[in-house]
Amino acid sequence: MTEHQTTHQAAEDARNEEILIYVDGVLKPKAEATVSVYDSGFMLGDGVWEGLRLHDGVWTFADEHLDRLFEAAKAIDLDIGMDRKGVYSALLETQKANGMTTDAHARLMVTRGVKVRPFQHPSLSQSGPTFVIIMEHSKPALGRPINLATVPHQRGLPMTQDPKLNSHSKLNCILACIAAQKAGADEALMLDVHGFVNTTNACNFFIVRRGAVWTSTGDYCMNGITRQKVIDLCRANDIPVFERNYSLVDTYGADEAFLTGTFGAQTPVGSIDGRQIGTGELGPVTKRIRELYANLVHG
Ligand SMILES: Cc1ncc(COP(=O)(O)O)c(C=O)c1O
């Protein structure tokens, strides 16, 4: 069996042992950056997060990430305790403390905070939110295209736990990923409640058929910022792009498939359920989209 990979695989960087982590306004060495066992994020996955990347001194698409963070916090009725400016300042403060200028990844996490008793009711979180920023030196380092397996775990309906929420609790996605690994793949391809191909456990999913780019309707998956940028880039560059329902038959027969996410940008898919996709390597349309996206990010 080939060795497993993850879509969020980064090159080893010894400097990450020395990073400072932002915990409720204080920058702490990694070993001291801890939260309470009574924290609602630890206890119940009761929080929301965002992942951002630093390219050439700029936090890419920061406005979109902050919009999504504040929207998610409002949706779960969580007061972040800071306005947008405050959150952005915390990000810059952490960046400065770590002396990072490019190729860094930040995970902003906010939970309902420390509980007075170890039970579910949100009113038990009484001392305000917990706000953490982990910022690491990070360069994606994939050795080969990703292999996917479809799994029984679905992307659910929005009234259960809306798949558009970047919630701390990701158990559905984690179980999907475990099932895919047990099937010998790297990560999971998840279907929606109607059986159409939707997304992977941690990224958005696209296929290319006869020069046209297809992705799901956008229902049941994360409203990925990279996903939207890819759609916009296709539209601006005369690459036919469709948000539509499609099946596994369409997917197995695709010429190319790729994933999108802030960390990996566009990651080629080599196989799905043991079927090689196209040549099994990075295809020409994915390559072109990668170049257009790199120009957007670095331009
Ligand atoms: C389930 C899931 N899908 C897709 C994405 C990619 O979104 P983005 O492109 O905004 O990083 C993420 C990242 O947060 C995610 O958690």
Side-chain angles (χ1 to χ4, degrees):
M1 204 191 335
T2 38
E3 211 179 298
H4 286 303
Q5 290 202 130
T6 82
T7 45
H8 292 83
Q9 206 157 293
E12 284 302 315
D13 192 323
R15 293 175 298 171
N16 285 331
E17 293 314 305
E18 310 298 326
I19 54 171
L20 294 171
I21 295 175
Y22 181 103
V23 184
D24 291 332
V26 183
L27 286 152
K28 298 184 174 180
K30 202 167 176 172
E32 293 162 31
T34 54
V35 295
S36 166
V37 292
Y38 279 81
D39 193 275
S40 61
F42 170 74
M43 215 177 262
L44 297 149
D46 178 13
V48 287
W49 62 276
E50 274 300 314
L52 290 91
R53 283 190 77 77
L54 181 68
H55 294 287
D56 309 329
V58 177
W59 287 99
T60 307
F61 314 131
D63 274 342
E64 285 95 328
H65 283 284
L66 290 184
D67 281 348
R68 196 169 60 182
L69 179 70
F70 276 88
E71 249 179 54
K74 188 173 180 185
I76 68 163
D77 201 26
L78 191 165
D79 181 358
I80 294 181
M82 273 190 255
D83 59 12
R84 280 174 80 96
K85 219 171 138 200
V87 172
Y88 193 59
S89 300
L91 186 71
L92 295 185
E93 188 187 335
T94 311
Q95 178 194 343
K96 194 170 170 210
N98 284 298
M100 293 167 176
T101 54
T102 193
D103 294 320
H105 194 93
R107 191 172 179 104
L108 267 67
M109 292 167 277
V110 54
T111 76
R112 209 174 301 278
V114 178
K115 288 181 167 290
V116 291
R117 294 279 173 276
F119 303 108
Q120 188 198 94
H121 204 286
S123 67
L124 296 170
S125 290
Q126 292 176 1
S127 48
T130 301
F131 190 93
V132 172
I133 304 175
I134 299 178
M135 196 176 289
E136 291 190 330
H137 300 279
S138 162
K139 272 193 177 178
L142 270 189
R144 58 167 171 76
I146 286 286
N147 296 327
L148 299 176
T150 48
V151 294
H153 311 82
Q154 295 174 351
R155 303 299 291 187
L157 290 162
M159 67 283 210
T160 308
Q161 184 165 330
D162 196 329
K164 294 203 187 314
L165 271 179
N166 245 345
S167 54
H168 271 214
S169 169
K170 287 279 183 186
L171 205 48
N172 189 38
C173 297
I174 291 166
L175 292 178
C177 190
I178 289 170
Q181 288 219 318
K182 288 195 184 296
D186 300 312
E187 298 206 356
L189 181 62
M190 300 174 77
L191 309 182
D192 69 23
V193 291
H194 307 292
F196 294 115
V197 170
N198 193 261
T199 187
T200 73
N201 55 283
C203 291
N204 291 112
F205 179 75
F206 288 73
I207 59 172
V208 180
R209 288 178 61 93
R210 299 187 184 89
V213 173
W214 296 12
T215 193
S216 72
T217 58
D219 297 334
Y220 317 110
C221 67
M222 176 60 60
N223 45 343
I225 291 165
T226 323
R227 172 186 187 275
Q228 191 58 51
K229 297 293 172 192
V230 165
I231 292 169
D232 295 346
L233 281 170
C234 287
R235 287 189 181 138
N237 290 277
D238 297 324
I239 302 171
V241 59
F242 302 101
E243 291 176 88
R244 52 169 292 169
N245 287 321
Y246 60 93
S247 70
L248 277 175
V249 174
D250 302 318
T251 305
Y252 295 146
D255 305 312
E256 302 174 35
F258 63 93
L259 315 179
T260 65
T262 295
F263 178 89
Q266 295 78 35
T267 304
V269 172
S271 75
I272 301 172
D273 297 332
R275 280 85 158 172
Q276 180 177 298
I277 303 300
T279 62
E281 298 296 333
L282 175 70
V285 177
T286 312
K287 185 164 179 276
R288 171 136 191 259
I289 292 170
R290 267 170 104 160
E291 286 162 3
L292 291 168
Y293 184 82
N295 288 341
L296 182 69
V297 163
H298 295 285

